[in-house]
Amino acid sequence: MVASLETSETVGAAVSEAVERKPRRLVAGVALVAAAAGVIGWQAPRVVNELTKPAYLGAPAAEIAADLDCDNYAQSTNHDESVYRYHDQGTCSLEGNVITITTFNRADDERAFESVMKALIPVVHPTWKGATYAAGEGWNVADARNLTPETATLVVQRLGTGATKVIPFSGK
């Protein structure tokens, strides 16, 4: 009977110890899951932004020139942000037409540039009826001489993104 009593006390102590360990493991598991969820919640927006950001946002103009299969790319040496903000700018030759490529760090900068194009070009070149450029999220490409629709269309076709934009005509 003594042996039986000792065995039941030992079994009882083991069961009691297991019951005490189970809540500790549960608390540790919950804490681990909460920590992992916190890290995921903290990093998820950055990862989503990186995966969904427009391809050319913050890209060098040379990347667009390469994707367009331009000749004689030259990066602009003068980075003047007095009129509009941009990331990079350069020129190259696309099927015989010199084009200017501008990239932006933020979509807002690209929209501001577009506003400048719509306001300035009609004043500077009032006879450019149908002046057209190509633009997408984070980039703008314009024929450096006369903003032809053919060049803008070719840019959009080659990049597979963006759209052609017509500048308002103010000529007589």
Side-chain angles (χ1 to χ4, degrees), residues 33-47:
V33 168
V39 169
I40 290 169
W42 174 50
Q43 290 295 317
R46 186 187 65 77
V47 170

Side-chain angles (χ1 to χ4, degrees), residues 64-86:
I64 292 177
D67 290 350
L68 288 172
D69 197 24
C70 274
D71 296 323
N72 305 316
Y73 175 77
Q75 184 175 17
S76 178
T77 55
N78 182 18
H79 193 107
D80 180 10
E81 292 188 347
S82 60
V83 178
Y84 55 87
R85 294 167 60 170
Y86 63 96

Side-chain angles (χ1 to χ4, degrees), residues 7-21:
T7 304
S8 86
E9 285 176 3
T10 306
V11 170
V15 168
S16 176
E17 189 178 313
V19 169
E20 286 177 18
R21 265 189 273 149

Side-chain angles (χ1 to χ4, degrees), residues 95-158:
E95 298 207 355
N97 293 308
V98 176
I99 60 172
T100 300
I101 301 167
T102 307
T103 61
F104 305 92
N105 290 320
R106 301 175 325 167
D108 289 344
D109 294 337
E110 189 270 324
R111 285 189 288 276
F113 179 82
E114 187 172 323
S115 295
V116 168
M117 291 285 284
K118 286 181 178 179
L120 188 62
I121 295 299
V123 173
V124 177
H125 300 284
T127 61
W128 277 7
K129 185 173 186 177
T132 307
Y133 62 94
E137 289 188 89
W139 62 273
N140 179 292
V141 175
D143 178 329
R145 233 178 301 143
N146 56 6
L147 301 172
T148 61
E150 295 80 17
T151 301
T153 301
L154 179 61
V155 167
V156 171
Q157 288 172 347
R158 287 201 181 173

